Amino acid sequence: MTLDLAAPVEVLAKALIDLPSVSGDEREIADQVEAALRACAHLEVTRLGNNVVARTTLGRAERVVVAGHLDTVPIASNVPGRWADDGATLWGRGAVDMKAGVAVQLSLAAALTEPTRDVTWVLYDQEEVEETRNGLGRVSRERPDLLQADFAVLGEPTGGVIEGGCNGTLRVDVTVQGKAAHSARSWKGVNAIHHAAPLLQALEEYEAETIEVDGLKYREGLNAVGISGGIAGNVIPDSVTVTLNYRFSPAWPLEEAKERVEKFVQAAFTAHPETLERWQAAPDELALVYSLVWTDEAQACRPGLDAPLARSFAAAVEATGAESPRAKLGWTDVARFGVLGIPAVNYGPGDPELAHADDERCAVSQIREVRAGLEAWLTS
Amino acid sequence: MTLDLAAPVEVLAKALIDLPSVSGDEREIADQVEAALRACAHLEVTRLGNNVVARTTLGRAERVVVAGHLDTVPIASNVPGRWADDGATLWGRGAVDMKAGVAVQLSLAAALTEPTRDVTWVLYDQEEVEETRNGLGRVSRERPDLLQADFAVLGEPTGGVIEGGCNGTLRVDVTVQGKAAHSARSWKGVNAIHHAAPLLQALEEYEAETIEVDGLKYREGLNAVGISGGIAGNVIPDSVTVTLNYRFSPAWPLEEAKERVEKFVQAAFTAHPETLERWQAAPDELALVYSLVWTDEAQACRPGLDAPLARSFAAAVEATGAESPRAKLGWTDVARFGVLGIPAVNYGPGDPELAHADDERCAVSQIREVRAGLEAWLTS
């Protein structure tokens, strides 16, 4: 079996679904994708592990990256795929996340021999597993030159709407100090859990901001996602750790986002001077009242929808009947482009709520619409 | 070797130290104690496991229990015992906790053939291990009739001062409910950790009361001794559990102490109506905002120092040069008498700070003073 990139895009999507490629097992699909793209004389193809990069080299003024991942989550009796609703729906693992999107990309990579912008098609592996294995991450580390572009489109399912950029995410462990003592003589200790009250109170009162970036609205979030403290049922706890997760808009570079969290924590405690006084009145003065340890950080990505290149893309997509672009709130691989300084958006067929579902399925009309949107943009 | 109850009390204490009796291994010491007490014609002796109860039956108007445990924590190269400071100090495992106290009791049990109050001497096993193995607990369950009395003295080390009654202790898990959601869309969930803020704030502001009971001052404590919540680093936590420990004075029966905690928790949340409003505004109404699960309860014990019987005891002890009675704050076996409705105090030789220490030791003079205090009371 070889992939026929000239087939109708939904037929190509089904062929991709029928080629199992659970994360870590992408060799065969990568081999077939590579072979099919190498057959296109207008593309310069590079293979890096199970990642395939195919570029036009027409010397255009602008270059865009269009990327998609080849892997899926594990199969749930939904491979091979099947047609439903008299052929209007394609069922199967990856119908949404994201073999329909990959089919759009491969179909256009073969068809568009002379796009108006140079295009770098990136098909990568291991997106559905831990971050360190991510194929796009590998390409960006080992061959960042291959990803250089003015704009990037990631084909993740968005229901055929442009979802621009993505929020960043930070995790930090805030540890509040206390002093252990037997709970029958609690006044000899300092209760760290009690002293975390101002932080929780500040979180309870916190109203997440919605911040507009390049015309899109990013709703933020600052949440305790974990808390733990206590030694034993008869001991005053000597520390408590609150894990905070800050989802921050592309308005803030990583360092500024961290500063915002640091200031929030500091303000929480200084707003409750009585707690600070209790600390200072503690039997042995506690040098450190709280400390922050960053455990996870991923920067946000701007949508770049204010640039002419992106505006033309948005116009082409809206011409397919799609809704206006909106902000992407979850963190996605577009942020890898953010790290390289390339604005990026998500745009692909399929209802994201059905990704990973046992009854994963996609409307054929949406696959065609997304193909039409991208084609219009790359040929206008 | 047999125990010579007529020996000087400190010599008897050393003989008891030299008879190893780590918890669970009390058979030999119980055999010897039983034999020595059975040799006293004025005592009626009952053996229950490795517990020995010896009673006078003089038909006095009042009966007192004097109790001590036979076991020790593990030996740390401190058996056999030895004399130090020219014989002024007795070293060894149990010198404090509590073979000096047992020596006082056995010495008086043999010597006082006609005490002015009937006396029930109780020597029991397995005090230093988990509660369910406790010998005094076994006697109180299987032969509560043997413990009937108007007043009880437990010979635990108190430095020769009467420490009256004991605080009770309660533990309860307060679980605050939330609703899970992806933290990138936190507004779709209800953050249980944030909603615990009013409870922590109330704990932070709580000032423990000091409550006078029968003339002694009991300092209470209400503390979070543990907290835990959180599902994953990118999930809004759907619940958080705060473990509270209430150390309460003998002024409150167990049920009333529980009610006080329940009211405290309720008041904490009703004092923050904005948190309740947020709960009510939650996407799916949460029927249960928080729940309480009691995990440990032990009632307090009154010192009973307002009764004439106890006042005469306090006077006899103060005549030895000891300080005035004070409240016992930690939970001790006196509470087992509380359960039976018998007021009780702790009174024994030895510095409690040295109990269980590798260099456990006791001043001989204090052993003699405590013997004198008890003897004066039981003969006046």
Side-chain angles (χ1 to χ4, degrees):
Chain A
M1 176 188 139
T2 52
L3 292 174
D4 177 8
L5 305 191
V9 66
E10 65 273 20
V11 173
L12 179 54
K14 183 173 184 308
L16 290 166
I17 289 170
D18 294 349
L19 202 51
S21 59
V22 175
S23 309
D25 195 21
E26 298 95 335
R27 179 188 286 240
E28 190 183 349
I29 197 169
D31 285 349
Q32 294 215 21
V33 165
E34 181 188 5
L37 292 172
R38 282 201 192 277
C40 302
H42 64 288
L43 294 173
E44 187 184 284
V45 177
T46 305
R47 172 92 177 235
L48 188 67
N50 287 329
N51 305 290
V52 182
V53 180
R55 309 165 76 239
T56 63
T57 50
L58 300 162
R60 303 292 196 224
E62 296 166 319
R63 175 175 289 279
V64 299
V65 164
V66 182
H69 63 85
L70 297 170
D71 61 319
T72 67
V73 295
I75 290 162
S77 306
N78 51 4
V79 168
R82 61 183 175 85
W83 303 106
D85 307 330
D86 289 328
T89 302
L90 175 59
W91 283 65
R93 172 60 72 232
V96 169
D97 192 8
M98 57 167 280
K99 288 183 169 175
V102 169
V104 167
Q105 295 170 7
L106 292 176
S107 174
L108 290 175
L112 303 183
T113 53
E114 293 206 338
T116 52
R117 283 114 191 171
D118 269 315
V119 186
T120 303
W121 307 95
V122 180
L123 291 310
Y124 63 98
D125 70 346
Q126 307 202 89
E127 191 271 346
E128 299 288 5
V129 286
E130 61 265 32
E131 193 280 330
T132 52
R133 289 167 58 185
N134 186 290
L136 187 60
R138 178 176 170 184
V139 176
S140 73
R141 280 190 306 273
E142 298 182 12
R143 292 293 305 274
D145 57 299
L146 287 177
L147 299 183
Q148 280 312 308
D150 302 292
F151 192 72
V153 178
L154 195 69
E156 290 279 355
T158 62
V161 177
I162 295 175
E163 292 190 341
C166 75
N167 272 338
T169 181
L170 285 174
R171 252 189 299 279
V172 64
D173 285 343
V174 183
T175 297
V176 178
Q177 302 292 323
K179 184 170 179 289
H182 195 287
S183 69
R185 289 186 160 70
S186 52
W187 51 92
K188 294 195 171 182
V190 177
N191 194 313
I193 295 175
H194 297 191
H195 285 2
L199 180 57
L200 264 54
Q201 190 63 37
L203 287 163
E204 174 74 355
E205 289 163 7
Y206 174 83
E207 298 283 353
E209 286 182 74
T210 296
I211 295 174
E212 193 166 315
V213 179
D214 300 348
L216 300 187
K217 290 183 167 60
Y218 291 85
R219 188 162 172 181
E220 300 198 325
L222 177 60
N223 277 277
V225 291
I227 189 166
S228 96
I231 298 169
N234 60 352
V235 179
I236 300 304
D238 63 350
S239 83
V240 63
T241 297
V242 183
T243 301
L244 299 182
N245 179 215
Y246 181 35
R247 300 280 174 159
F248 60 97
S249 82
W252 319 120
L254 196 62
E255 286 309 312
E256 199 167 333
K258 284 184 172 183
E259 269 173 37
R260 288 169 66 85
V261 175
E262 284 163 4
K263 282 181 183 164
F264 171 86
V265 174
Q266 189 175 40
F269 287 110
T270 52
H272 288 77
E274 67 284 5
T275 285
L276 291 177
E277 276 165 29
R278 281 200 193 88
W279 255 317
Q280 280 148 16
D284 294 326
E285 200 165 331
L286 293 165
L288 198 66
V289 290
Y290 66 84
S291 58
L292 272 67
V293 176
W294 299 96
T295 58
D296 188 29
E297 51 185 66
Q299 71 174 56
C301 176
R302 298 184 78 93
L305 288 174
D306 51 350
L309 176 64
R311 281 212 298 271
S312 68
F313 176 45
V317 170
E318 285 191 69
T320 69
E323 290 170 28
S324 300
R326 58 187 175 224
K328 184 75 178 176
L329 301 178
W331 192 89
T332 80
D333 268 348
V334 298
R336 299 183 193 280
F337 295 105
V339 172
L340 300 171
I342 305 167
V345 300
N346 300 274
Y347 174 59
D351 175 358
E353 299 281 323
L354 292 173
H356 306 186
D358 288 354
D359 59 347
E360 190 172 347
R361 63 193 185 277
C362 187
V364 167
S365 59
Q366 200 166 82
I367 307 176
R368 291 182 187 159
E369 275 162 25
V370 169
R371 187 186 186 284
L374 270 176
E375 181 178 36
W377 178 48
L378 294 173
T379 54
S380 65
Chain B
M1 176 189 140
T2 52
L3 291 173
D4 177 8
L5 304 191
V9 65
E10 65 272 19
V11 172
L12 178 54
K14 184 172 183 308
L16 290 165
I17 290 170
D18 293 349
L19 201 52
S21 58
V22 175
S23 310
D25 195 21
E26 297 95 336
R27 179 188 285 241
E28 189 183 349
I29 196 169
D31 285 350
Q32 294 215 22
V33 165
E34 180 188 4
L37 292 172
R38 283 201 191 278
C40 301
H42 63 288
L43 295 174
E44 185 183 287
V45 178
T46 305
R47 172 91 178 235
L48 188 67
N50 287 328
N51 305 290
V52 182
V53 180
R55 309 165 76 237
T56 63
T57 51
L58 300 162
R60 303 293 196 222
E62 296 165 319
R63 174 174 288 281
V64 299
V65 164
V66 182
H69 63 83
L70 297 170
D71 61 320
T72 68
V73 295
I75 290 162
S77 306
N78 51 5
V79 168
R82 63 183 173 83
W83 303 105
D85 306 331
D86 289 328
T89 302
L90 174 58
W91 282 67
R93 172 61 73 230
V96 168
D97 192 7
M98 58 167 281
K99 288 185 169 175
V102 169
V104 166
Q105 294 169 7
L106 293 176
S107 174
L108 290 174
L112 303 182
T113 52
E114 294 206 337
T116 51
R117 284 112 190 171
D118 267 317
V119 186
T120 303
W121 307 94
V122 180
L123 290 310
Y124 63 99
D125 71 346
Q126 306 202 87
E127 191 271 346
E128 300 288 4
V129 286
E130 61 266 31
E131 195 279 331
T132 51
R133 289 167 59 185
N134 186 292
L136 187 60
R138 178 176 171 185
V139 176
S140 73
R141 281 190 305 274
E142 297 181 14
R143 292 295 305 275
D145 58 299
L146 285 179
L147 299 182
Q148 282 311 311
D150 301 292
F151 191 73
V153 177
L154 195 69
E156 289 279 355
T158 61
V161 176
I162 294 175
E163 291 191 342
C166 75
N167 272 337
T169 181
L170 285 173
R171 253 189 299 277
V172 64
D173 285 343
V174 184
T175 297
V176 178
Q177 302 292 322
K179 183 170 181 288
H182 195 287
S183 69
R185 288 186 161 70
S186 51
W187 51 93
K188 294 196 170 180
V190 177
N191 193 313
I193 296 176
H194 297 190
H195 285 1
L199 180 58
L200 264 53
Q201 191 63 40
L203 286 164
E204 173 74 355
E205 289 163 5
Y206 174 83
E207 298 282 353
E209 286 181 75
T210 295
I211 295 174
E212 195 167 313
V213 180
D214 301 348
L216 300 188
K217 290 183 168 61
Y218 291 84
R219 188 162 172 179
E220 300 198 324
L222 177 60
N223 278 277
V225 290
I227 190 167
S228 96
I231 297 169
N234 60 352
V235 180
I236 300 304
D238 63 350
S239 83
V240 63
T241 298
V242 183
T243 302
L244 299 182
N245 179 215
Y246 181 34
R247 300 280 174 158
F248 59 97
S249 83
W252 319 120
L254 196 62
E255 286 310 312
E256 198 167 334
K258 283 183 170 183
E259 270 173 36
R260 288 170 66 84
V261 174
E262 284 163 3
K263 283 183 183 163
F264 173 86
V265 174
Q266 190 175 39
F269 288 111
T270 52
H272 287 78
E274 67 283 4
T275 285
L276 290 177
E277 278 164 29
R278 283 200 191 90
W279 256 317
Q280 281 147 15
D284 294 327
E285 198 163 332
L286 292 166
L288 197 68
V289 290
Y290 67 82
S291 59
L292 272 66
V293 176
W294 299 97
T295 58
D296 188 30
E297 50 185 65
Q299 71 175 56
C301 176
R302 298 185 78 93
L305 289 175
D306 50 351
L309 177 65
R311 280 212 299 271
S312 69
F313 177 46
V317 170
E318 284 190 69
T320 69
E323 289 170 30
S324 299
R326 58 187 176 222
K328 184 74 176 178
L329 301 178
W331 191 90
T332 79
D333 268 348
V334 298
R336 299 183 193 282
F337 294 104
V339 172
L340 299 171
I342 305 168
V345 300
N346 301 274
Y347 175 59
D351 174 359
E353 299 281 321
L354 291 173
H356 306 186
D358 289 354
D359 59 348
E360 191 172 348
R361 62 192 184 278
C362 187
V364 166
S365 60
Q366 200 167 83
I367 307 175
R368 290 183 188 161
E369 275 162 26
V370 169
R371 186 185 187 284
L374 271 176
E375 180 178 36
W377 177 49
L378 295 173
T379 55
S380 65

mmCIF file with all atom_site columns, all heavy atoms in Angstrom, chain B residues 131-142:
data_model
loop_
_atom_site.group_PDB
_atom_site.id
_atom_site.type_symbol
_atom_site.label_atom_id
_atom_site.label_alt_id
_atom_site.label_comp_id
_atom_site.label_asym_id
_atom_site.label_entity_id
_atom_site.label_seq_id
_atom_site.pdbx_PDB_ins_code
_atom_site.Cartn_x
_atom_site.Cartn_y
_atom_site.Cartn_z
_atom_site.occupancy
_atom_site.B_iso_or_equiv
_atom_site.pdbx_formal_charge
_atom_site.auth_seq_id
_atom_site.auth_comp_id
_atom_site.auth_asym_id
_atom_site.auth_atom_id
_atom_site.pdbx_PDB_model_num
ATOM 1  N N   . GLU B 1 131 ? -2.821  1.974   71.572 1.00 0.00 ? 131 GLU B N   1
ATOM 2  C CA  . GLU B 1 131 ? -3.904  2.110   72.532 1.00 0.00 ? 131 GLU B CA  1
ATOM 3  C C   . GLU B 1 131 ? -4.655  0.794   72.742 1.00 0.00 ? 131 GLU B C   1
ATOM 4  O O   . GLU B 1 131 ? -5.046  0.471   73.874 1.00 0.00 ? 131 GLU B O   1
ATOM 5  C CB  . GLU B 1 131 ? -4.838  3.201   71.993 1.00 0.00 ? 131 GLU B CB  1
ATOM 6  C CG  . GLU B 1 131 ? -5.838  3.753   72.967 1.00 0.00 ? 131 GLU B CG  1
ATOM 7  C CD  . GLU B 1 131 ? -7.043  2.851   73.108 1.00 0.00 ? 131 GLU B CD  1
ATOM 8  O OE1 . GLU B 1 131 ? -7.351  2.157   72.126 1.00 0.00 ? 131 GLU B OE1 1
ATOM 9  O OE2 . GLU B 1 131 ? -7.634  2.826   74.186 1.00 0.00 ? 131 GLU B OE2 1
ATOM 10 N N   . THR B 1 132 ? -4.850  0.018   71.690 1.00 0.00 ? 132 THR B N   1
ATOM 11 C CA  . THR B 1 132 ? -5.695  -1.174  71.810 1.00 0.00 ? 132 THR B CA  1
ATOM 12 C C   . THR B 1 132 ? -5.082  -2.232  72.716 1.00 0.00 ? 132 THR B C   1
ATOM 13 O O   . THR B 1 132 ? -5.786  -3.110  73.196 1.00 0.00 ? 132 THR B O   1
ATOM 14 C CB  . THR B 1 132 ? -5.930  -1.817  70.419 1.00 0.00 ? 132 THR B CB  1
ATOM 15 O OG1 . THR B 1 132 ? -4.668  -1.993  69.777 1.00 0.00 ? 132 THR B OG1 1
ATOM 16 C CG2 . THR B 1 132 ? -6.815  -0.928  69.559 1.00 0.00 ? 132 THR B CG2 1
ATOM 17 N N   . ARG B 1 133 ? -3.759  -2.176  72.941 1.00 0.00 ? 133 ARG B N   1
ATOM 18 C CA  . ARG B 1 133 ? -3.104  -3.186  73.774 1.00 0.00 ? 133 ARG B CA  1
ATOM 19 C C   . ARG B 1 133 ? -3.048  -2.767  75.240 1.00 0.00 ? 133 ARG B C   1
ATOM 20 O O   . ARG B 1 133 ? -2.658  -3.569  76.101 1.00 0.00 ? 133 ARG B O   1
ATOM 21 C CB  . ARG B 1 133 ? -1.677  -3.432  73.250 1.00 0.00 ? 133 ARG B CB  1
ATOM 22 C CG  . ARG B 1 133 ? -1.645  -4.165  71.914 1.00 0.00 ? 133 ARG B CG  1
ATOM 23 C CD  . ARG B 1 133 ? -0.263  -4.112  71.265 1.00 0.00 ? 133 ARG B CD  1
ATOM 24 N NE  . ARG B 1 133 ? 0.783   -4.694  72.097 1.00 0.00 ? 133 ARG B NE  1
ATOM 25 C CZ  . ARG B 1 133 ? 2.090   -4.668  71.780 1.00 0.00 ? 133 ARG B CZ  1
ATOM 26 N NH1 . ARG B 1 133 ? 2.478   -4.096  70.655 1.00 0.00 ? 133 ARG B NH1 1
ATOM 27 N NH2 . ARG B 1 133 ? 2.983   -5.204  72.576 1.00 0.00 ? 133 ARG B NH2 1
ATOM 28 N N   . ASN B 1 134 ? -3.428  -1.547  75.529 1.00 0.00 ? 134 ASN B N   1
ATOM 29 C CA  . ASN B 1 134 ? -3.254  -0.971  76.869 1.00 0.00 ? 134 ASN B CA  1
ATOM 30 C C   . ASN B 1 134 ? -3.937  -1.799  77.965 1.00 0.00 ? 134 ASN B C   1
ATOM 31 O O   . ASN B 1 134 ? -5.134  -2.060  77.905 1.00 0.00 ? 134 ASN B O   1
ATOM 32 C CB  . ASN B 1 134 ? -3.814  0.457   76.835 1.00 0.00 ? 134 ASN B CB  1
ATOM 33 C CG  . ASN B 1 134 ? -3.568  1.204   78.132 1.00 0.00 ? 134 ASN B CG  1
ATOM 34 O OD1 . ASN B 1 134 ? -4.133  0.863   79.156 1.00 0.00 ? 134 ASN B OD1 1
ATOM 35 N ND2 . ASN B 1 134 ? -2.701  2.197   78.074 1.00 0.00 ? 134 ASN B ND2 1
ATOM 36 N N   . GLY B 1 135 ? -3.145  -2.202  78.970 1.00 0.00 ? 135 GLY B N   1
ATOM 37 C CA  . GLY B 1 135 ? -3.652  -3.054  80.045 1.00 0.00 ? 135 GLY B CA  1
ATOM 38 C C   . GLY B 1 135 ? -4.733  -2.401  80.885 1.00 0.00 ? 135 GLY B C   1
ATOM 39 O O   . GLY B 1 135 ? -5.687  -3.058  81.309 1.00 0.00 ? 135 GLY B O   1
ATOM 40 N N   . LEU B 1 136 ? -4.606  -1.091  81.142 1.00 0.00 ? 136 LEU B N   1
ATOM 41 C CA  . LEU B 1 136 ? -5.638  -0.408  81.926 1.00 0.00 ? 136 LEU B CA  1
ATOM 42 C C   . LEU B 1 136 ? -6.946  -0.376  81.140 1.00 0.00 ? 136 LEU B C   1
ATOM 43 O O   . LEU B 1 136 ? -8.030  -0.523  81.711 1.00 0.00 ? 136 LEU B O   1
ATOM 44 C CB  . LEU B 1 136 ? -5.178  1.013   82.275 1.00 0.00 ? 136 LEU B CB  1
ATOM 45 C CG  . LEU B 1 136 ? -6.078  1.795   83.236 1.00 0.00 ? 136 LEU B CG  1
ATOM 46 C CD1 . LEU B 1 136 ? -6.210  1.087   84.582 1.00 0.00 ? 136 LEU B CD1 1
ATOM 47 C CD2 . LEU B 1 136 ? -5.529  3.213   83.446 1.00 0.00 ? 136 LEU B CD2 1
ATOM 48 N N   . GLY B 1 137 ? -6.803  -0.221  79.823 1.00 0.00 ? 137 GLY B N   1
ATOM 49 C CA  . GLY B 1 137 ? -7.994  -0.285  78.970 1.00 0.00 ? 137 GLY B CA  1
ATOM 50 C C   . GLY B 1 137 ? -8.646  -1.658  79.073 1.00 0.00 ? 137 GLY B C   1
ATOM 51 O O   . GLY B 1 137 ? -9.872  -1.768  79.174 1.00 0.00 ? 137 GLY B O   1
ATOM 52 N N   . ARG B 1 138 ? -7.820  -2.712  79.085 1.00 0.00 ? 138 ARG B N   1
ATOM 53 C CA  . ARG B 1 138 ? -8.373  -4.067  79.178 1.00 0.00 ? 138 ARG B CA  1
ATOM 54 C C   . ARG B 1 138 ? -9.117  -4.269  80.498 1.00 0.00 ? 138 ARG B C   1
ATOM 55 O O   . ARG B 1 138 ? -10.228 -4.789  80.526 1.00 0.00 ? 138 ARG B O   1
ATOM 56 C CB  . ARG B 1 138 ? -7.236  -5.093  79.047 1.00 0.00 ? 138 ARG B CB  1
ATOM 57 C CG  . ARG B 1 138 ? -7.732  -6.513  79.182 1.00 0.00 ? 138 ARG B CG  1
ATOM 58 C CD  . ARG B 1 138 ? -6.644  -7.542  78.949 1.00 0.00 ? 138 ARG B CD  1
ATOM 59 N NE  . ARG B 1 138 ? -7.150  -8.868  79.311 1.00 0.00 ? 138 ARG B NE  1
ATOM 60 C CZ  . ARG B 1 138 ? -6.420  -9.973  79.318 1.00 0.00 ? 138 ARG B CZ  1
ATOM 61 N NH1 . ARG B 1 138 ? -5.139  -9.918  78.963 1.00 0.00 ? 138 ARG B NH1 1
ATOM 62 N NH2 . ARG B 1 138 ? -6.957  -11.124 79.663 1.00 0.00 ? 138 ARG B NH2 1
ATOM 63 N N   . VAL B 1 139 ? -8.511  -3.832  81.595 1.00 0.00 ? 139 VAL B N   1
ATOM 64 C CA  . VAL B 1 139 ? -9.170  -3.979  82.897 1.00 0.00 ? 139 VAL B CA  1
ATOM 65 C C   . VAL B 1 139 ? -10.484 -3.201  82.916 1.00 0.00 ? 139 VAL B C   1
ATOM 66 O O   . VAL B 1 139 ? -11.511 -3.701  83.383 1.00 0.00 ? 139 VAL B O   1
ATOM 67 C CB  . VAL B 1 139 ? -8.241  -3.515  84.041 1.00 0.00 ? 139 VAL B CB  1
ATOM 68 C CG1 . VAL B 1 139 ? -8.973  -3.569  85.378 1.00 0.00 ? 139 VAL B CG1 1
ATOM 69 C CG2 . VAL B 1 139 ? -6.974  -4.365  84.079 1.00 0.00 ? 139 VAL B CG2 1
ATOM 70 N N   . SER B 1 140 ? -10.466 -1.982  82.339 1.00 0.00 ? 140 SER B N   1
ATOM 71 C CA  . SER B 1 140 ? -11.685 -1.162  82.390 1.00 0.00 ? 140 SER B CA  1
ATOM 72 C C   . SER B 1 140 ? -12.783 -1.761  81.524 1.00 0.00 ? 140 SER B C   1
ATOM 73 O O   . SER B 1 140 ? -13.963 -1.558  81.800 1.00 0.00 ? 140 SER B O   1
ATOM 74 C CB  . SER B 1 140 ? -11.389 0.285   81.991 1.00 0.00 ? 140 SER B CB  1
ATOM 75 O OG  . SER B 1 140 ? -11.158 0.383   80.605 1.00 0.00 ? 140 SER B OG  1
ATOM 76 N N   . ARG B 1 141 ? -12.397 -2.501  80.476 1.00 0.00 ? 141 ARG B N   1
ATOM 77 C CA  . ARG B 1 141 ? -13.427 -3.148  79.647 1.00 0.00 ? 141 ARG B CA  1
ATOM 78 C C   . ARG B 1 141 ? -13.925 -4.440  80.295 1.00 0.00 ? 141 ARG B C   1
ATOM 79 O O   . ARG B 1 141 ? -15.116 -4.709  80.341 1.00 0.00 ? 141 ARG B O   1
ATOM 80 C CB  . ARG B 1 141 ? -12.844 -3.486  78.254 1.00 0.00 ? 141 ARG B CB  1
ATOM 81 C CG  . ARG B 1 141 ? -12.765 -2.304  77.299 1.00 0.00 ? 141 ARG B CG  1
ATOM 82 C CD  . ARG B 1 141 ? -12.410 -2.775  75.878 1.00 0.00 ? 141 ARG B CD  1
ATOM 83 N NE  . ARG B 1 141 ? -11.187 -3.565  75.827 1.00 0.00 ? 141 ARG B NE  1
ATOM 84 C CZ  . ARG B 1 141 ? -9.955  -3.053  75.726 1.00 0.00 ? 141 ARG B CZ  1
ATOM 85 N NH1 . ARG B 1 141 ? -9.777  -1.744  75.681 1.00 0.00 ? 141 ARG B NH1 1
ATOM 86 N NH2 . ARG B 1 141 ? -8.909  -3.851  75.672 1.00 0.00 ? 141 ARG B NH2 1
ATOM 87 N N   . GLU B 1 142 ? -12.957 -5.265  80.801 1.00 0.00 ? 142 GLU B N   1
ATOM 88 C CA  . GLU B 1 142 ? -13.331 -6.606  81.253 1.00 0.00 ? 142 GLU B CA  1
ATOM 89 C C   . GLU B 1 142 ? -13.751 -6.652  82.716 1.00 0.00 ? 142 GLU B C   1
ATOM 90 O O   . GLU B 1 142 ? -14.561 -7.497  83.100 1.00 0.00 ? 142 GLU B O   1
ATOM 91 C CB  . GLU B 1 142 ? -12.154 -7.574  81.006 1.00 0.00 ? 142 GLU B CB  1
ATOM 92 C CG  . GLU B 1 142 ? -11.821 -7.702  79.522 1.00 0.00 ? 142 GLU B CG  1
ATOM 93 C CD  . GLU B 1 142 ? -10.680 -8.685  79.254 1.00 0.00 ? 142 GLU B CD  1
ATOM 94 O OE1 . GLU B 1 142 ? -10.319 -9.462  80.166 1.00 0.00 ? 142 GLU B OE1 1
ATOM 95 O OE2 . GLU B 1 142 ? -10.164 -8.664  78.109 1.00 0.00 ? 142 GLU B OE2 1
#
